[in-house]
Amino acid sequence: MHLDLRSKVAVFFSTVFLASVLSKDTVFFLLTVILLLYVAALGYSKSTVKIVLAITIISIMRLISKGNGFGVMLPEMFLFIVIRTLVIILSVIPIIKTPPGELMAVMKKMKVHRNIALPLIFMMRFFPVVRSEFSEIIDSLKLRGLISFRKPLITMEYLFVPMMFSSSKIAEELAAASEVRGISANGKHTSRREIKFRKFDFLVIILTVLLTVGLYFMEGVMMK
């Protein structure tokens, strides 16, 4: 199942709005379930496992603490913000997984200026690659026995110094690869996928609006 990028962005903005206004856990978890079905329908369910696990753990922690948090280290406000951020990340997954060529083609069609489009595309490609590199550095440090919780400052130095150099190299390689493929070239940018709104995209937009309004009013009813 394939969605147009603009439909994915509409779902993202709807999620940001709801995550910021919903306070009742029942309505918020209903939003979470809807997003999980949405992501699974697009074929990205494997990417949500860790996020769902984190949401479950934080929800249990909030239930155990009865909304009071766990002292200064884990206050309730911190747990409240983190769980909403994780739900927003759920809605971002389909956008991040969109191929760069399709991203560029959609932004060209939407008349987005290249000074805005190019940084966005580079950013969306940069973070997944850095995440993979970060995991490899951690594995390398573990093999050498250089990760120690007894010496956190030294461990951070061993971790972040190679990460900084690696990030700089990755940014240069991504920029060079994109330039070779003509990402900043003038003219019409094409994509292997046809960039247009389909019936399913209209259906998703309509459902997004209806669910946003429905969950917002459900929140209002439960507040009374």
Side-chain angles (χ1 to χ4, degrees):
M1 188 181 296
H2 179 71
L3 269 184
D4 187 90
L5 177 65
R6 289 162 288 187
S7 303
K8 299 174 186 178
V9 171
V11 174
F12 165 71
F13 281 119
S14 169
T15 304
V16 171
F17 170 74
L18 290 173
S20 63
V21 300
L22 298 181
S23 59
K24 292 294 182 181
D25 289 340
T26 304
V27 184
F28 180 75
F29 285 121
L30 179 58
L31 169 65
T32 305
V33 172
I34 293 171
L35 282 173
L36 286 173
L37 293 174
Y38 159 72
V39 175
L42 295 180
Y44 303 125
S45 54
K46 291 183 179 179
S47 303
T48 66
V49 175
K50 292 181 180 179
I51 298 176
V52 172
L53 181 61
I55 291 174
T56 303
I57 292 172
I58 294 175
S59 300
I60 293 173
M61 291 173 66
R62 294 186 67 204
L63 184 64
I64 293 173
S65 69
K66 296 180 180 180
N68 297 317
F70 294 91
V72 179
M73 297 300 294
L74 287 174
E76 169 63 18
M77 181 57 66
F78 175 76
L79 299 176
F80 181 88
I81 293 172
V82 169
I83 197 170
R84 275 156 175 74
T85 303
L86 290 171
V87 170
I88 291 172
I89 292 174
L90 276 178
S91 67
V92 174
I93 290 176
I95 299 175
I96 294 176
K97 297 290 184 179
T98 305
E102 184 177 344
L103 283 172
M104 193 65 192
V106 171
M107 290 186 181
K108 279 282 186 179
K109 194 166 187 177
M110 294 173 65
K111 308 297 183 183
V112 178
H113 196 275
R114 66 165 56 185
N115 290 342
I116 298 175
L118 291 178
L120 284 174
I121 293 171
F122 285 135
M123 180 183 68
M124 293 175 67
R125 291 296 298 158
F126 178 76
F127 286 113
V129 178
V130 168
R131 179 186 174 187
S132 176
E133 188 72 17
F134 192 75
S135 178
E136 290 179 4
I137 291 174
I138 291 177
D139 291 339
S140 178
L141 292 176
K142 286 180 179 178
L143 288 174
R144 292 173 171 82
L146 296 176
I147 293 183
S148 174
F149 292 105
R150 296 179 181 178
K151 300 178 180 179
L153 294 179
I154 296 177
T155 301
M156 288 178 64
E157 180 182 350
Y158 288 152
L159 184 61
F160 286 106
V161 170
M163 193 66 240
M164 289 172 62
F165 284 102
S166 180
S167 299
S168 177
K169 182 181 177 182
I170 290 170
E172 291 177 1
E173 291 176 350
L174 285 175
S178 300
E179 286 295 334
V180 169
R181 295 174 184 176
I183 195 168
S184 61
N186 294 320
K188 184 178 180 181
H189 285 246
T190 59
S191 173
R192 289 182 298 173
R193 293 190 178 97
E194 188 179 6
I195 308 300
K196 72 173 185 178
F197 254 65
R198 299 175 177 82
K199 292 181 180 179
F200 187 69
D201 290 294
F202 283 109
L203 178 62
V204 168
I205 294 293
I206 293 171
L207 286 175
T208 299
V209 173
L210 291 176
L211 288 171
T212 301
V213 174
L215 292 174
Y216 180 77
F217 278 104
M218 187 182 297
E219 168 82 6
V221 170
M222 294 185 70
M223 290 290 288
K224 295 180 181 179

